[in-house]
Amino acid sequence: MKVLIVGSGGREHAIAWKVAQSPKVDKIYCAPGNAGIAEYAECVPISAMEFDKLAAFAKEHEVDLTVIGMDDPLVGGIVDVFEAQGLRVFGPRKNAAILEGSKAFSKDLMKKYNIPTAAYETFTDPHKALEYLQTAKMPIVLKADGLALGKGVLICNTLEEAEAGVKEIMEDKKFGSAGNQMVIEEFMTGREVSVLSFVDGDTIRIMTSSQDHKRALDGDQGLNTGGMGTFSPSPFYTKEVDEFCKKYIYQPSVDAMKKEGRTFKGIIFFGLMLTEDGPKVLEYNARFGDPETQVVLPRMKNDIVEVFEACIDGTLDQIELEFEDNAAVCVVLASDGYPVKYEKGFKIHGLEKFKDADGYYVFHAGTKFDEDGDIVTNGGRVLGVTAKGKDLKEARANAYKATEWIDFANKYMRHDIGHAIDEA
Ligand code: AMP
Ligand code: GLY
């Protein structure tokens, strides 16, 4: 088979690495890819938003399966464009990707089908939102409706902060048209868990749990980022939690989408908060998480291409997912200053040390080749260093050991990825 992967981050590197393990696959393309993905795939300089060009490429090169990694093309309808041309593609159609593309949609869906989530109101008029805030309990959470690079959520401790937040989102349009509509929701406390799943429209198969660290600084301080590190499994994702979610969240979400005429095929990523009143949905994503994928896929035993095909063909009920009985930790190596302002273009040393190190992985997020053919930094998040271990503590020690193998100017990382492991 020939497989095309669309995207260019650590998530797509992990997907490419996993696809490369499949005995069914003899050629991988990635658009646009990065310097690390180039080890498994021929990188093609087409952006993820150029749907027609991508489909034409897939046709011309007789690609058998295209896998979409990123949220923007999914929400923009790339799957519909591929399907209209008779191309096999893994991911939700536009009318289903709205599960991630509109927070107002997903909240209304959960309300309608009694799926546990925070209480909320939606607004299209900033004056109504401001009026509502006058009697609301603080802290409170403001969410821009649309995609905002994971940054469209504001947690406000005071009325003044919340008023300023409404202005930023709805009047100043800090997140662009994502702020035409807004969700204001109850602030919840508890442990956060990420659960990724494969869905074929009817059947859902849950992958192993993981947890992200979204803040830039140690102690979960500083600005929200795309994610600074992950671990898997989450020690807080107990059997009871799993049973509850299976009954009240996972299958009900898939069934709700089908009932709405928006059959979902692809990945549903459940962002969960384990509250005192039980697990609740923080958000849905319609694609693999990044960097969650970098700890989940290295532990997965299945041939991922078989699972992708089963989702497309509606035969996922015939597949059981299997995960190794171990743990993995990923520490993101970023450019100092991320997520605000940072320099790039620095040579990266030490990547070769991962080649023969079993259970150690370096997934590239923002890298490229310079004119000399050397790999240099090319983004805020540069690399994800993942290591496995027999348990979470061993995996964490291994991952931090491996971060020392890598060197580049302005290298920045958090030193407390997996701190929750000690609190379990
Ligand atoms: P989201 O993009 O919706 O997952 O939100 C980003 C982050 O904001 C989440 O990972 C949580 O840490 C936080 N968050 C979102 N919604 C809430 C909420 N209702 N209560 C508390 N924290 C929240
Ligand atoms: N790590 C969070 C996300 O992928 O949205």
Side-chain angles (χ1 to χ4, degrees), residues 100 103 107 117-119 139-144 149-155 184-190 192-194 212 214-215 224-225 269 271-273 275 281-285 287:
E100 170 165 9
K103 292 199 191 284
K107 295 295 290 190
T117 189
I140 197 148
V141 184
L142 311 184
K143 299 186 172 185
L149 298 168
K151 299 187 179 89
V153 174
L154 305 178
I155 295 175
I184 301 188
E185 74 176 30
E186 164 204 9
F187 176 78
M188 302 189 285
T189 51
E192 281 187 49
V193 185
S194 300
D212 190 10
K214 288 204 167 91
R215 302 295 198 96
N224 261 328
T225 70
F269 162 160
L272 303 173
M273 180 81 92
T275 75
V281 178
L282 279 168
E283 64 162 349
Y284 294 109
N285 294 311
R287 35 105 193 146

Side-chain angles (χ1 to χ4, degrees), residues 67-173:
V67 179
I68 314 298
M70 300 163 72
D71 46 0
D72 291 286
L74 289 168
V75 170
I78 191 172
V79 168
D80 307 62
V81 171
F82 270 63
E83 285 184 348
Q85 305 201 31
L87 292 160
R88 263 164 90 72
V89 55
F90 176 80
R93 290 181 187 154
K94 184 174 185 171
N95 77 348
I98 192 175
L99 192 60
E100 170 165 9
S102 166
K103 292 199 191 284
F105 170 85
S106 71
K107 295 295 290 190
D108 289 347
L109 184 88
M110 289 187 266
K111 189 177 189 178
K112 182 168 173 187
Y113 292 91
N114 285 316
I115 296 166
T117 189
Y120 74 102
E121 295 287 336
T122 47
F123 298 92
T124 48
D125 177 351
H127 300 105
K128 293 252 165 64
L130 290 168
E131 201 180 295
Y132 171 81
L133 286 176
Q134 303 309 313
T135 54
K137 209 172 120 219
M138 300 295 144
I140 197 148
V141 184
L142 311 184
K143 299 186 172 185
D145 178 58
L147 294 183
L149 298 168
K151 299 187 179 89
V153 174
L154 305 178
I155 295 175
C156 304
N157 289 305
T158 62
L159 177 60
E160 291 69 39
E161 268 179 60
E163 285 172 340
V166 168
K167 201 169 163 295
E168 266 179 32
I169 294 176
M170 298 197 87
E171 288 177 353
D172 305 344
K173 294 281 158 79

Side-chain angles (χ1 to χ4, degrees), residues 78 101 182 229 236 346 370 375 389 400-401 413 418:
I78 191 172
M182 198 175 84
F236 307 102
F346 300 112
D370 68 5
I375 297 181
Y400 272 106
K401 181 178 74 188
M413 65 182 164

Side-chain angles (χ1 to χ4, degrees), residues 157-349:
N157 289 305
T158 62
L159 177 60
E160 291 69 39
E161 268 179 60
E163 285 172 340
V166 168
K167 201 169 163 295
E168 266 179 32
I169 294 176
M170 298 197 87
E171 288 177 353
D172 305 344
K173 294 281 158 79
K174 190 173 173 194
F175 310 106
S177 60
N180 289 349
Q181 199 174 182
M182 198 175 84
V183 170
I184 301 188
E185 74 176 30
E186 164 204 9
F187 176 78
M188 302 189 285
T189 51
R191 296 276 177 193
E192 281 187 49
V193 185
S194 300
V195 176
L196 309 180
S197 69
F198 291 96
V199 180
D200 75 355
D202 292 299
T203 300
I204 178 164
R205 291 281 186 258
I206 301 304
M207 295 181 234
T208 183
S209 63
S210 57
Q211 188 182 321
D212 190 10
H213 299 66
K214 288 204 167 91
R215 302 295 198 96
L217 309 175
D218 282 3
D220 295 321
Q221 301 294 311
L223 294 173
N224 261 328
T225 70
M228 293 302 295
T230 39
F231 58 86
S232 170
S234 162
F236 307 102
Y237 191 80
T238 59
K239 210 162 171 278
E240 292 72 42
V241 171
D242 184 58
E243 275 165 15
F244 179 93
C245 294
K246 282 194 172 121
K247 194 162 167 200
Y248 297 106
I249 296 176
Y250 303 148
Q251 190 70 51
S253 300
V254 174
D255 295 345
M257 288 299 280
K258 190 170 182 189
K259 283 201 194 102
E260 293 295 308
R262 298 174 181 272
T263 299
F264 193 105
K265 288 179 178 229
I267 302 290
I268 299 183
F269 162 160
F270 299 88
L272 303 173
M273 180 81 92
L274 309 181
T275 75
E276 276 189 349
D277 305 327
K280 293 188 182 179
V281 178
L282 279 168
E283 64 162 349
Y284 294 109
N285 294 311
R287 35 105 193 146
F288 282 103
D290 196 3
E292 284 88 344
T293 305
Q294 301 179 48
V295 284
V296 168
L297 292 190
R299 299 185 53 228
M300 182 174 158
K301 293 187 190 171
N302 302 70
D303 178 342
I304 199 167
V305 174
E306 277 180 11
V307 186
F308 286 147
E309 294 206 285
C311 290
I312 295 171
D313 296 335
T315 55
L316 192 59
D317 58 337
Q318 290 162 36
I319 288 192
E320 293 302 331
L321 296 183
E322 283 186 273
F323 287 85
E324 292 170 3
D325 184 20
N326 56 11
V329 170
C330 169
V331 179
V332 169
L333 305 185
S335 303
D336 196 18
Y338 173 73
V340 183
K341 193 164 172 264
Y342 49 84
E343 291 177 65
K344 47 196 194 181
F346 300 112
K347 282 200 187 348
I348 303 172
H349 305 279

Side-chain angles (χ1 to χ4, degrees), residues 405-419:
W405 302 347
I406 298 283
D407 196 29
F408 57 83
N410 279 4
K411 169 177 151 188
Y412 170 77
M413 65 182 164
R414 274 183 60 167
H415 289 88
D416 64 346
I417 299 302
H419 59 83

